[in-house]
Amino acid sequence: GRLLQVPPLPEKKLLDSWDAISQKMEVSLKRVDNAEYYNKFMALRDVIRDAVDVLSRALGSDGCTNINELKQFKSVQAALKSMAPVQLNAHFLRQNSDVFVCFFRDGTLRVRLQSSESDEDVDGTETAEQDDATFLEKVQESLAAYRHPTGKKRKLGEPLWVPARAILTRAQVERFEKSPENSSIETSYDSEDGMLLRLARHPRAPDDLEYMDEHISKLSRNLDIDVEDAKQRLKSDEKFMQFWSLIRSVEVNSEEERAISRNLGARTQILADAHHLAKRLSSEVPEVSWQEAREGLEKVPW
């Protein structure tokens, strides 16, 4: 009825009818301030939009996510606690159809951003002004800082494959494809996730060659053998080489580096113990090699 009082005015007869009853209705009308609900609704909408953007870029997401994943996202969990009575459900997503696209896939309601929301401001000006070395350094830093949005932990020191879209805009992806090959970044391609990137060397990685020299010297001194023999023994130890290869993908002075260093020390000690055990057994059992002794030590439950 109040809309009848706003120009353009309706026919006089209709307006007179409203005027006749409006005074009596005024007594029973109650003003309701929905400002708080509106503010919470819009705030949650922004949080969900950012969460959908991040989750849709994760490896294996196929460019979308679902309500369960959203509810497990930390920022969404925190927002939902403070946004009551606004709730995250299919109705909320559909109310915001200008931002979200909802659809079913394999019996699950999936959600992604509208194209205008997911396609970042594709402004390649800053990217174009950078030289190749500076640009690739920034890509390397972005990979080092990347954490899986669901909190998925990686194996010790093992670098994650990251969809390029998770850390780069479209303009930057195109720039990367045209950039010279970089030994610090590995690339691959997935039919669903597109270009994948992985750190081959952390921008602040420890000196892996220094680690190798340190353990070669240690083994050489402990066994009183020449450096070349010690080097050969370490390089023939599959587990030692596996841990050593991870050193270049972690940050110096990090907890991961310390864990890898402990494992390298343990492998070096096993090689030393295997040498001494083989030497001791050779007096009783002829031709026991240090390799056989190492295999025996590895089978012993500690």
Side-chain angles (χ1 to χ4, degrees), residues 41 45 90-102 112-117:
F41 183 93
R45 165 185 158 117
H91 180 62
F92 175 87
L93 295 174
R94 291 191 174 105
Q95 282 182 304
N96 292 280
S97 59
D98 59 318
V99 176
F100 307 114
V101 176
C102 297
R112 63 172 176 80
L113 294 181
Q114 290 280 7
S115 297
S116 59
E117 295 286 337

Side-chain angles (χ1 to χ4, degrees), residues 48-50 52-54 56-57 63-64 99-101 111-119:
I48 300 298
R49 179 181 58 203
D50 292 341
V52 171
D53 186 36
V54 172
S56 297
R57 297 170 186 272
C64 57
V99 176
F100 307 114
V101 176
V111 57
R112 63 172 176 80
L113 294 181
Q114 290 280 7
S115 297
S116 59
E117 295 286 337
S118 58
D119 296 341

Side-chain angles (χ1 to χ4, degrees), residues 128-176:
E129 290 176 351
Q130 297 171 352
D131 58 66
D132 287 334
T134 302
F135 171 69
L136 290 172
E137 283 176 7
K138 288 194 172 184
V139 175
Q140 199 177 352
E141 288 288 353
S142 297
L143 283 170
Y146 180 81
R147 297 293 180 270
H148 197 283
T150 61
K152 178 182 177 182
K153 293 184 178 180
R154 64 177 186 173
K155 294 180 180 179
L156 177 62
E158 183 180 347
L160 294 172
W161 281 109
V162 180
R165 68 188 181 204
I167 59 171
L168 303 176
T169 65
R170 285 189 177 182
Q172 290 172 332
V173 171
E174 292 176 5
R175 170 71 186 275
F176 182 84

Side-chain angles (χ1 to χ4, degrees), residues 15-173:
L15 187 58
D16 289 344
S17 298
W18 165 248
D19 290 338
I21 64 172
S22 61
Q23 292 181 356
K24 293 183 179 180
M25 290 182 63
E26 196 71 36
V27 180
S28 59
L29 288 177
K30 292 183 180 179
R31 294 182 180 274
V32 178
D33 185 0
N34 284 324
E36 182 181 359
Y37 183 89
Y38 173 81
N39 292 334
K40 288 182 176 181
F41 183 93
M42 298 305 291
L44 183 61
R45 165 185 158 117
D46 289 341
V47 173
I48 300 298
R49 179 181 58 203
D50 292 341
V52 171
D53 186 36
V54 172
L55 290 168
S56 297
R57 297 170 186 272
L59 186 65
S61 67
D62 199 16
C64 57
T65 184
N66 59 54
I67 291 180
N68 287 336
E69 289 178 345
L70 285 169
K71 287 184 175 180
Q72 293 171 9
F73 201 68
K74 288 186 177 180
S75 61
V76 175
Q77 289 179 337
L80 287 173
K81 289 179 181 178
S82 60
M83 298 296 178
V86 187
Q87 297 181 352
L88 169 59
N89 49 35
H91 180 62
F92 175 87
L93 295 174
R94 291 191 174 105
Q95 282 182 304
N96 292 280
S97 59
D98 59 318
V99 176
F100 307 114
V101 176
C102 297
F103 57 97
F104 278 92
R105 180 183 295 169
D106 299 329
T108 302
L109 180 67
R110 310 288 295 180
V111 57
R112 63 172 176 80
L113 294 181
Q114 290 280 7
S115 297
S116 59
E117 295 286 337
S118 58
D119 296 341
E120 321 87 341
D121 321 278
V122 185
D123 179 8
T125 306
E126 181 182 353
T127 300
E129 290 176 351
Q130 297 171 352
D131 58 66
D132 287 334
T134 302
F135 171 69
L136 290 172
E137 283 176 7
K138 288 194 172 184
V139 175
Q140 199 177 352
E141 288 288 353
S142 297
L143 283 170
Y146 180 81
R147 297 293 180 270
H148 197 283
T150 61
K152 178 182 177 182
K153 293 184 178 180
R154 64 177 186 173
K155 294 180 180 179
L156 177 62
E158 183 180 347
L160 294 172
W161 281 109
V162 180
R165 68 188 181 204
I167 59 171
L168 303 176
T169 65
R170 285 189 177 182
Q172 290 172 332
V173 171

